[in-house]
mmCIF file of all heavy atoms in Angstrom:
data_model
loop_
_atom_site.group_PDB
_atom_site.id
_atom_site.type_symbol
_atom_site.label_atom_id
_atom_site.label_comp_id
_atom_site.label_asym_id
_atom_site.label_seq_id
_atom_site.Cartn_x
_atom_site.Cartn_y
_atom_site.Cartn_z
ATOM 1 N N ASP A 1 -35.974 54.406 20.768
ATOM 2 C CA ASP A 1 -36.930 54.894 21.766
ATOM 3 C C ASP A 1 -37.854 53.798 22.287
ATOM 4 O O ASP A 1 -38.668 54.030 23.188
ATOM 5 C CB ASP A 1 -37.754 56.058 21.212
ATOM 6 C CG ASP A 1 -38.520 55.684 19.939
ATOM 7 O OD1 ASP A 1 -38.632 54.457 19.636
ATOM 8 O OD2 ASP A 1 -38.979 56.584 19.233
ATOM 9 N N GLY A 2 -37.781 52.602 21.673
ATOM 10 C CA GLY A 2 -38.570 51.466 22.140
ATOM 11 C C GLY A 2 -40.014 51.494 21.723
ATOM 12 O O GLY A 2 -40.831 50.724 22.243
ATOM 13 N N ARG A 3 -40.401 52.356 20.745
ATOM 14 C CA ARG A 3 -41.805 52.517 20.362
ATOM 15 C C ARG A 3 -42.179 51.725 19.112
ATOM 16 O O ARG A 3 -43.371 51.584 18.812
ATOM 17 C CB ARG A 3 -42.119 53.987 20.142
ATOM 18 C CG ARG A 3 -41.977 54.806 21.417
ATOM 19 C CD ARG A 3 -42.261 56.268 21.159
ATOM 20 N NE ARG A 3 -42.126 57.068 22.377
ATOM 21 C CZ ARG A 3 -42.313 58.392 22.418
ATOM 22 N NH1 ARG A 3 -42.633 59.062 21.308
ATOM 23 N NH2 ARG A 3 -42.164 59.035 23.562
ATOM 24 N N SER A 4 -41.181 51.246 18.374
ATOM 25 C CA SER A 4 -41.474 50.524 17.138
ATOM 26 C C SER A 4 -40.644 49.260 17.074
ATOM 27 O O SER A 4 -39.562 49.168 17.669
ATOM 28 C CB SER A 4 -41.182 51.405 15.910
ATOM 29 O OG SER A 4 -41.937 52.585 15.952
ATOM 30 N N ALA A 5 -41.160 48.288 16.279
ATOM 31 C CA ALA A 5 -40.455 47.017 16.128
ATOM 32 C C ALA A 5 -40.585 46.510 14.699
ATOM 33 O O ALA A 5 -41.583 46.800 14.013
ATOM 34 C CB ALA A 5 -41.009 45.984 17.106
ATOM 35 N N TRP A 6 -39.577 45.754 14.258
ATOM 36 C CA TRP A 6 -39.592 45.191 12.911
ATOM 37 C C TRP A 6 -39.267 43.686 12.976
ATOM 38 O O TRP A 6 -38.512 43.227 13.832
ATOM 39 C CB TRP A 6 -38.527 45.837 12.016
ATOM 40 C CG TRP A 6 -38.820 47.254 11.641
ATOM 41 C CD1 TRP A 6 -39.594 47.720 10.612
ATOM 42 C CD2 TRP A 6 -38.318 48.411 12.295
ATOM 43 N NE1 TRP A 6 -39.619 49.079 10.570
ATOM 44 C CE2 TRP A 6 -38.834 49.544 11.603
ATOM 45 C CE3 TRP A 6 -37.510 48.635 13.429
ATOM 46 C CZ2 TRP A 6 -38.554 50.853 11.981
ATOM 47 C CZ3 TRP A 6 -37.224 49.920 13.788
ATOM 48 C CH2 TRP A 6 -37.740 51.018 13.075
ATOM 49 N N GLN A 7 -39.819 42.985 12.015
ATOM 50 C CA GLN A 7 -39.454 41.586 11.831
ATOM 51 C C GLN A 7 -38.284 41.528 10.859
ATOM 52 O O GLN A 7 -38.279 42.217 9.837
ATOM 53 C CB GLN A 7 -40.641 40.788 11.269
ATOM 54 C CG GLN A 7 -40.296 39.315 11.028
ATOM 55 C CD GLN A 7 -41.422 38.579 10.323
ATOM 56 O OE1 GLN A 7 -42.541 39.102 10.182
ATOM 57 N NE2 GLN A 7 -41.140 37.367 9.873
ATOM 58 N N LEU A 8 -37.258 40.699 11.174
ATOM 59 C CA LEU A 8 -36.077 40.556 10.332
ATOM 60 C C LEU A 8 -36.004 39.144 9.760
ATOM 61 O O LEU A 8 -36.467 38.185 10.379
ATOM 62 C CB LEU A 8 -34.797 40.830 11.134
ATOM 63 C CG LEU A 8 -34.699 42.173 11.879
ATOM 64 C CD1 LEU A 8 -33.409 42.219 12.686
ATOM 65 C CD2 LEU A 8 -34.744 43.335 10.886
ATOM 66 N N GLN A 9 -35.374 39.037 8.589
ATOM 67 C CA GLN A 9 -35.063 37.739 8.000
ATOM 68 C C GLN A 9 -33.646 37.798 7.438
ATOM 69 O O GLN A 9 -33.357 38.605 6.559
ATOM 70 C CB GLN A 9 -36.060 37.381 6.880
ATOM 71 C CG GLN A 9 -35.870 35.985 6.298
ATOM 72 C CD GLN A 9 -36.163 34.882 7.321
ATOM 73 O OE1 GLN A 9 -37.100 35.002 8.133
ATOM 74 N NE2 GLN A 9 -35.360 33.835 7.309
ATOM 75 N N ASP A 10 -32.761 36.942 7.993
ATOM 76 C CA ASP A 10 -31.336 36.930 7.618
ATOM 77 C C ASP A 10 -30.716 38.319 7.766
ATOM 78 O O ASP A 10 -29.880 38.751 6.956
ATOM 79 C CB ASP A 10 -31.158 36.442 6.186
ATOM 80 C CG ASP A 10 -31.602 34.993 6.015
ATOM 81 O OD1 ASP A 10 -31.583 34.246 7.022
ATOM 82 O OD2 ASP A 10 -31.971 34.615 4.887
ATOM 83 N N GLY A 11 -31.165 39.038 8.815
ATOM 84 C CA GLY A 11 -30.596 40.337 9.136
ATOM 85 C C GLY A 11 -31.211 41.508 8.409
ATOM 86 O O GLY A 11 -30.811 42.654 8.644
ATOM 87 N N LYS A 12 -32.184 41.258 7.549
ATOM 88 C CA LYS A 12 -32.818 42.341 6.778
ATOM 89 C C LYS A 12 -34.260 42.565 7.250
ATOM 90 O O LYS A 12 -34.952 41.614 7.613
ATOM 91 C CB LYS A 12 -32.808 41.997 5.291
ATOM 92 C CG LYS A 12 -31.395 41.901 4.712
ATOM 93 C CD LYS A 12 -31.438 41.536 3.236
ATOM 94 C CE LYS A 12 -30.034 41.416 2.662
ATOM 95 N NZ LYS A 12 -30.054 41.059 1.213
ATOM 96 N N VAL A 13 -34.702 43.863 7.191
ATOM 97 C CA VAL A 13 -36.051 44.212 7.632
ATOM 98 C C VAL A 13 -37.074 43.645 6.658
ATOM 99 O O VAL A 13 -36.971 43.821 5.440
ATOM 100 C CB VAL A 13 -36.216 45.737 7.735
ATOM 101 C CG1 VAL A 13 -37.676 46.097 8.068
ATOM 102 C CG2 VAL A 13 -35.278 46.300 8.797
ATOM 103 N N VAL A 14 -38.094 42.954 7.226
ATOM 104 C CA VAL A 14 -39.169 42.384 6.412
ATOM 105 C C VAL A 14 -40.428 43.254 6.507
ATOM 106 O O VAL A 14 -41.003 43.655 5.493
ATOM 107 C CB VAL A 14 -39.498 40.943 6.851
ATOM 108 C CG1 VAL A 14 -40.703 40.389 6.083
ATOM 109 C CG2 VAL A 14 -38.286 40.049 6.663
ATOM 110 N N LYS A 15 -40.823 43.560 7.743
ATOM 111 C CA LYS A 15 -42.025 44.377 7.938
ATOM 112 C C LYS A 15 -42.053 44.928 9.351
ATOM 113 O O LYS A 15 -41.368 44.439 10.242
ATOM 114 C CB LYS A 15 -43.279 43.562 7.671
ATOM 115 C CG LYS A 15 -43.462 42.380 8.610
ATOM 116 C CD LYS A 15 -44.739 41.611 8.282
ATOM 117 C CE LYS A 15 -44.919 40.417 9.221
ATOM 118 N NZ LYS A 15 -46.155 39.665 8.918
ATOM 119 N N THR A 16 -42.910 45.924 9.528
ATOM 120 C CA THR A 16 -43.130 46.503 10.844
ATOM 121 C C THR A 16 -44.176 45.673 11.566
ATOM 122 O O THR A 16 -45.177 45.249 10.967
ATOM 123 C CB THR A 16 -43.613 47.952 10.738
ATOM 124 O OG1 THR A 16 -42.648 48.712 9.997
ATOM 125 C CG2 THR A 16 -43.807 48.566 12.118
ATOM 126 N N ILE A 17 -43.926 45.444 12.871
ATOM 127 C CA ILE A 17 -44.879 44.697 13.685
ATOM 128 C C ILE A 17 -45.103 45.453 14.981
ATOM 129 O O ILE A 17 -44.324 46.349 15.350
ATOM 130 C CB ILE A 17 -44.390 43.260 13.990
ATOM 131 C CG1 ILE A 17 -43.035 43.307 14.706
ATOM 132 C CG2 ILE A 17 -44.319 42.425 12.712
ATOM 133 C CD1 ILE A 17 -42.538 41.935 15.134
ATOM 134 N N SER A 18 -46.181 45.098 15.686
ATOM 135 C CA SER A 18 -46.494 45.760 16.949
ATOM 136 C C SER A 18 -45.520 45.300 18.032
ATOM 137 O O SER A 18 -44.875 44.249 17.903
ATOM 138 C CB SER A 18 -47.927 45.447 17.378
ATOM 139 O OG SER A 18 -48.041 44.053 17.692
ATOM 140 N N LEU A 19 -45.445 46.075 19.106
ATOM 141 C CA LEU A 19 -44.576 45.699 20.220
ATOM 142 C C LEU A 19 -45.044 44.393 20.853
ATOM 143 O O LEU A 19 -44.215 43.579 21.271
ATOM 144 C CB LEU A 19 -44.555 46.820 21.263
ATOM 145 C CG LEU A 19 -43.973 48.162 20.798
ATOM 146 C CD1 LEU A 19 -44.071 49.204 21.915
ATOM 147 C CD2 LEU A 19 -42.532 48.008 20.360
ATOM 148 N N GLU A 20 -46.367 44.210 20.912
ATOM 149 C CA GLU A 20 -46.888 42.975 21.480
ATOM 150 C C GLU A 20 -46.491 41.775 20.619
ATOM 151 O O GLU A 20 -46.114 40.712 21.121
ATOM 152 C CB GLU A 20 -48.412 43.047 21.616
ATOM 153 C CG GLU A 20 -48.911 44.041 22.650
ATOM 154 C CD GLU A 20 -48.871 45.484 22.123
ATOM 155 O OE1 GLU A 20 -48.592 45.678 20.905
ATOM 156 O OE2 GLU A 20 -49.098 46.405 22.932
ATOM 157 N N GLU A 21 -46.624 41.954 19.287
ATOM 158 C CA GLU A 21 -46.249 40.874 18.371
ATOM 159 C C GLU A 21 -44.740 40.576 18.476
ATOM 160 O O GLU A 21 -44.324 39.417 18.424
ATOM 161 C CB GLU A 21 -46.616 41.247 16.940
ATOM 162 C CG GLU A 21 -46.231 40.212 15.893
ATOM 163 C CD GLU A 21 -46.970 38.899 16.045
ATOM 164 O OE1 GLU A 21 -48.004 38.850 16.747
ATOM 165 O OE2 GLU A 21 -46.485 37.886 15.466
ATOM 166 N N ALA A 22 -43.952 41.608 18.649
ATOM 167 C CA ALA A 22 -42.504 41.430 18.791
ATOM 168 C C ALA A 22 -42.180 40.585 20.029
ATOM 169 O O ALA A 22 -41.329 39.689 19.987
ATOM 170 C CB ALA A 22 -41.821 42.786 18.870
ATOM 171 N N GLU A 23 -42.879 40.857 21.120
ATOM 172 C CA GLU A 23 -42.639 40.086 22.345
ATOM 173 C C GLU A 23 -43.037 38.621 22.170
ATOM 174 O O GLU A 23 -42.358 37.718 22.658
ATOM 175 C CB GLU A 23 -43.425 40.719 23.503
ATOM 176 C CG GLU A 23 -42.849 42.046 23.955
ATOM 177 C CD GLU A 23 -43.580 42.606 25.167
ATOM 178 O OE1 GLU A 23 -44.408 41.847 25.759
ATOM 179 O OE2 GLU A 23 -43.352 43.768 25.522
ATOM 180 N N ARG A 24 -44.199 38.397 21.454
ATOM 181 C CA ARG A 24 -44.625 37.021 21.227
ATOM 182 C C ARG A 24 -43.611 36.253 20.366
ATOM 183 O O ARG A 24 -43.300 35.087 20.614
ATOM 184 C CB ARG A 24 -46.006 37.005 20.574
ATOM 185 C CG ARG A 24 -47.134 37.349 21.534
ATOM 186 C CD ARG A 24 -48.480 36.982 20.945
ATOM 187 N NE ARG A 24 -48.782 37.760 19.745
ATOM 188 C CZ ARG A 24 -49.431 38.942 19.768
ATOM 189 N NH1 ARG A 24 -49.836 39.461 20.914
ATOM 190 N NH2 ARG A 24 -49.681 39.580 18.642
ATOM 191 N N ARG A 25 -43.089 36.933 19.342
ATOM 192 C CA ARG A 25 -42.128 36.283 18.455
ATOM 193 C C ARG A 25 -40.810 35.966 19.193
ATOM 194 O O ARG A 25 -40.190 34.926 18.980
ATOM 195 C CB ARG A 25 -41.849 37.164 17.233
ATOM 196 C CG ARG A 25 -42.993 37.181 16.242
ATOM 197 C CD ARG A 25 -42.707 38.121 15.076
ATOM 198 N NE ARG A 25 -43.782 38.105 14.112
ATOM 199 C CZ ARG A 25 -43.862 37.296 13.061
ATOM 200 N NH1 ARG A 25 -42.900 36.408 12.845
ATOM 201 N NH2 ARG A 25 -44.894 37.354 12.221
ATOM 202 N N VAL A 26 -40.374 36.863 20.049
ATOM 203 C CA VAL A 26 -39.163 36.628 20.844
ATOM 204 C C VAL A 26 -39.324 35.375 21.696
ATOM 205 O O VAL A 26 -38.430 34.518 21.764
ATOM 206 C CB VAL A 26 -38.848 37.849 21.738
ATOM 207 C CG1 VAL A 26 -37.839 37.478 22.811
ATOM 208 C CG2 VAL A 26 -38.324 38.992 20.899
ATOM 209 N N GLU A 27 -40.488 35.274 22.334
ATOM 210 C CA GLU A 27 -40.727 34.117 23.189
ATOM 211 C C GLU A 27 -40.800 32.840 22.362
ATOM 212 O O GLU A 27 -40.259 31.794 22.767
ATOM 213 C CB GLU A 27 -42.026 34.322 23.957
ATOM 214 C CG GLU A 27 -42.315 33.235 24.965
ATOM 215 C CD GLU A 27 -43.557 33.516 25.780
ATOM 216 O OE1 GLU A 27 -44.152 34.611 25.606
ATOM 217 O OE2 GLU A 27 -43.946 32.644 26.594
ATOM 218 N N ARG A 28 -41.468 32.914 21.189
ATOM 219 C CA ARG A 28 -41.601 31.727 20.353
ATOM 220 C C ARG A 28 -40.246 31.264 19.809
ATOM 221 O O ARG A 28 -39.968 30.059 19.744
ATOM 222 C CB ARG A 28 -42.551 32.026 19.184
ATOM 223 C CG ARG A 28 -42.710 30.859 18.208
ATOM 224 C CD ARG A 28 -43.767 31.176 17.170
ATOM 225 N NE ARG A 28 -43.460 32.376 16.430
ATOM 226 C CZ ARG A 28 -42.623 32.415 15.376
ATOM 227 N NH1 ARG A 28 -42.010 31.312 14.976
ATOM 228 N NH2 ARG A 28 -42.399 33.552 14.745
ATOM 229 N N LEU A 29 -39.401 32.191 19.448
ATOM 230 C CA LEU A 29 -38.090 31.848 18.881
ATOM 231 C C LEU A 29 -37.064 31.465 19.945
ATOM 232 O O LEU A 29 -36.007 30.916 19.621
ATOM 233 C CB LEU A 29 -37.555 33.030 18.069
ATOM 234 C CG LEU A 29 -38.357 33.384 16.804
ATOM 235 C CD1 LEU A 29 -37.859 34.699 16.225
ATOM 236 C CD2 LEU A 29 -38.250 32.268 15.779
ATOM 237 N N GLY A 30 -37.362 31.757 21.201
ATOM 238 C CA GLY A 30 -36.413 31.451 22.274
ATOM 239 C C GLY A 30 -35.259 32.424 22.332
ATOM 240 O O GLY A 30 -34.186 32.102 22.870
ATOM 241 N N LEU A 31 -35.484 33.642 21.818
ATOM 242 C CA LEU A 31 -34.458 34.675 21.850
ATOM 243 C C LEU A 31 -34.579 35.503 23.127
ATOM 244 O O LEU A 31 -35.667 35.584 23.715
ATOM 245 C CB LEU A 31 -34.579 35.581 20.625
ATOM 246 C CG LEU A 31 -34.214 34.937 19.281
ATOM 247 C CD1 LEU A 31 -34.677 35.808 18.126
ATOM 248 C CD2 LEU A 31 -32.713 34.703 19.207
ATOM 249 N N PRO A 32 -33.491 36.135 23.570
ATOM 250 C CA PRO A 32 -33.572 36.973 24.773
ATOM 251 C C PRO A 32 -34.293 38.296 24.491
ATOM 252 O O PRO A 32 -34.090 38.912 23.444
ATOM 253 C CB PRO A 32 -32.105 37.204 25.130
ATOM 254 C CG PRO A 32 -31.385 37.109 23.825
ATOM 255 C CD PRO A 32 -32.110 36.079 23.024
ATOM 256 N N MET A 33 -35.129 38.689 25.411
ATOM 257 C CA MET A 33 -35.820 39.977 25.290
ATOM 258 C C MET A 33 -34.896 41.080 25.784
ATOM 259 O O MET A 33 -34.384 41.028 26.898
ATOM 260 C CB MET A 33 -37.102 39.966 26.118
ATOM 261 C CG MET A 33 -37.923 41.237 26.023
ATOM 262 S SD MET A 33 -38.589 41.465 24.355
ATOM 263 C CE MET A 33 -39.183 43.177 24.492
ATOM 264 N N PRO A 34 -34.611 42.087 24.931
ATOM 265 C CA PRO A 34 -33.707 43.154 25.374
ATOM 266 C C PRO A 34 -34.290 43.945 26.537
ATOM 267 O O PRO A 34 -35.507 43.997 26.734
ATOM 268 C CB PRO A 34 -33.563 44.026 24.112
ATOM 269 C CG PRO A 34 -34.766 43.729 23.294
ATOM 270 C CD PRO A 34 -35.126 42.316 23.574
ATOM 271 N N VAL A 35 -33.394 44.565 27.296
ATOM 272 C CA VAL A 35 -33.773 45.290 28.508
ATOM 273 C C VAL A 35 -33.488 46.774 28.319
ATOM 274 O O VAL A 35 -32.444 47.152 27.768
ATOM 275 C CB VAL A 35 -32.990 44.742 29.723
ATOM 276 C CG1 VAL A 35 -33.369 45.519 30.990
ATOM 277 C CG2 VAL A 35 -33.262 43.258 29.907
ATOM 278 N N ARG A 36 -34.430 47.601 28.814
ATOM 279 C CA ARG A 36 -34.225 49.046 28.753
ATOM 280 C C ARG A 36 -33.862 49.549 30.143
ATOM 281 O O ARG A 36 -34.463 49.156 31.146
ATOM 282 C CB ARG A 36 -35.483 49.757 28.260
ATOM 283 C CG ARG A 36 -35.796 49.464 26.801
ATOM 284 C CD ARG A 36 -37.010 50.276 26.346
ATOM 285 N NE ARG A 36 -36.783 51.720 26.357
ATOM 286 C CZ ARG A 36 -36.165 52.387 25.390
ATOM 287 N NH1 ARG A 36 -35.679 51.732 24.328
ATOM 288 N NH2 ARG A 36 -36.025 53.703 25.471
ATOM 289 N N ARG A 37 -32.876 50.429 30.174
ATOM 290 C CA ARG A 37 -32.460 51.053 31.429
ATOM 291 C C ARG A 37 -32.278 52.543 31.181
ATOM 292 O O ARG A 37 -31.587 52.934 30.227
ATOM 293 C CB ARG A 37 -31.149 50.444 31.949
ATOM 294 C CG ARG A 37 -31.282 49.018 32.461
ATOM 295 C CD ARG A 37 -30.029 48.616 33.227
ATOM 296 N NE ARG A 37 -30.136 47.261 33.768
ATOM 297 C CZ ARG A 37 -29.698 46.173 33.154
ATOM 298 N NH1 ARG A 37 -29.127 46.280 31.957
ATOM 299 N NH2 ARG A 37 -29.841 44.987 33.705
ATOM 300 N N GLU A 38 -32.895 53.328 32.056
ATOM 301 C CA GLU A 38 -32.795 54.783 31.982
ATOM 302 C C GLU A 38 -33.172 55.300 30.608
ATOM 303 O O GLU A 38 -32.507 56.173 30.028
ATOM 304 C CB GLU A 38 -31.381 55.248 32.363
ATOM 305 C CG GLU A 38 -31.008 54.860 33.780
ATOM 306 C CD GLU A 38 -29.579 55.273 34.121
ATOM 307 O OE1 GLU A 38 -28.883 55.792 33.219
ATOM 308 O OE2 GLU A 38 -29.172 55.064 35.264
ATOM 309 N N GLY A 39 -34.219 54.729 30.066
ATOM 310 C CA GLY A 39 -34.777 55.225 28.811
ATOM 311 C C GLY A 39 -34.047 54.777 27.561
ATOM 312 O O GLY A 39 -34.315 55.321 26.473
ATOM 313 N N LYS A 40 -33.160 53.800 27.653
ATOM 314 C CA LYS A 40 -32.478 53.308 26.461
ATOM 315 C C LYS A 40 -32.168 51.822 26.613
ATOM 316 O O LYS A 40 -32.185 51.284 27.713
ATOM 317 C CB LYS A 40 -31.208 54.100 26.197
ATOM 318 C CG LYS A 40 -30.217 54.085 27.336
ATOM 319 C CD LYS A 40 -29.014 54.966 27.013
ATOM 320 C CE LYS A 40 -28.007 54.970 28.173
ATOM 321 N NZ LYS A 40 -26.841 55.840 27.870
ATOM 322 N N TRP A 41 -31.915 51.217 25.454
ATOM 323 C CA TRP A 41 -31.625 49.779 25.479
ATOM 324 C C TRP A 41 -30.263 49.526 26.110
ATOM 325 O O TRP A 41 -29.309 50.259 25.891
ATOM 326 C CB TRP A 41 -31.640 49.192 24.064
ATOM 327 C CG TRP A 41 -32.982 49.271 23.396
ATOM 328 C CD1 TRP A 41 -33.323 50.064 22.333
ATOM 329 C CD2 TRP A 41 -34.141 48.537 23.747
ATOM 330 N NE1 TRP A 41 -34.619 49.887 21.987
ATOM 331 C CE2 TRP A 41 -35.162 48.943 22.852
ATOM 332 C CE3 TRP A 41 -34.458 47.605 24.731
ATOM 333 C CZ2 TRP A 41 -36.457 48.443 22.906
ATOM 334 C CZ3 TRP A 41 -35.739 47.097 24.773
ATOM 335 C CH2 TRP A 41 -36.729 47.494 23.883
ATOM 336 N N ALA A 42 -30.220 48.445 26.884
ATOM 337 C CA ALA A 42 -28.968 48.091 27.562
ATOM 338 C C ALA A 42 -28.390 46.841 26.917
ATOM 339 O O ALA A 42 -29.115 45.878 26.625
ATOM 340 C CB ALA A 42 -29.222 47.844 29.047
ATOM 341 N N ALA A 43 -27.099 46.865 26.675
ATOM 342 C CA ALA A 43 -26.386 45.690 26.136
ATOM 343 C C ALA A 43 -24.992 45.676 26.735
ATOM 344 O O ALA A 43 -24.466 46.695 27.181
ATOM 345 C CB ALA A 43 -26.312 45.735 24.617
ATOM 346 N N GLY A 44 -24.400 44.521 26.732
ATOM 347 C CA GLY A 44 -23.062 44.403 27.306
ATOM 348 C C GLY A 44 -23.072 44.400 28.808
ATOM 349 O O GLY A 44 -22.082 44.732 29.462
ATOM 350 N N GLN A 45 -24.220 43.999 29.384
ATOM 351 C CA GLN A 45 -24.340 43.992 30.837
ATOM 352 C C GLN A 45 -24.041 42.618 31.445
ATOM 353 O O GLN A 45 -23.803 42.500 32.622
ATOM 354 C CB GLN A 45 -25.754 44.410 31.237
ATOM 355 C CG GLN A 45 -26.160 45.767 30.682
ATOM 356 C CD GLN A 45 -25.287 46.888 31.197
ATOM 357 O OE1 GLN A 45 -25.024 46.973 32.398
ATOM 358 N NE2 GLN A 45 -24.828 47.749 30.308
ATOM 359 N N ARG A 46 -24.103 41.573 30.624
ATOM 360 C CA ARG A 46 -23.900 40.223 31.166
ATOM 361 C C ARG A 46 -23.051 39.405 30.198
ATOM 362 O O ARG A 46 -23.180 39.531 28.987
ATOM 363 C CB ARG A 46 -25.245 39.542 31.407
ATOM 364 C CG ARG A 46 -26.126 39.472 30.178
ATOM 365 C CD ARG A 46 -27.538 38.978 30.540
ATOM 366 N NE ARG A 46 -28.344 38.769 29.343
ATOM 367 C CZ ARG A 46 -29.005 39.721 28.721
ATOM 368 N NH1 ARG A 46 -28.937 40.974 29.176
ATOM 369 N NH2 ARG A 46 -29.732 39.457 27.656
#
């Protein structure tokens, strides 16, 4: 639903973080920010 986020380490959940913190970490790590379309996450689009 896009309302919660978690920090992962080697594929395992470490802790819950805020959506804002998740966005900052994505930018810091250089990872792509996922996109939501029509109320759900979109993948396999590019």
Side-chain angles (χ1 to χ4, degrees):
D1 58 14
R3 296 179 180 179
S4 302
W6 289 275
Q7 179 187 349
L8 305 176
Q9 185 65 38
D10 296 335
K12 296 179 181 180
V13 175
V14 175
K15 62 180 180 180
T16 303
I17 58 176
S18 67
L19 297 177
E20 292 78 8
E21 178 65 17
E23 289 184 10
R24 286 194 296 270
R25 286 177 178 270
V26 165
E27 185 176 356
R28 177 174 58 82
L29 294 171
L31 291 167
M33 182 66 191
V35 179
R36 292 184 65 82
R37 290 193 178 94
E38 299 177 356
K40 58 183 179 181
W41 296 111
Q45 304 298 313
R46 56 189 186 276

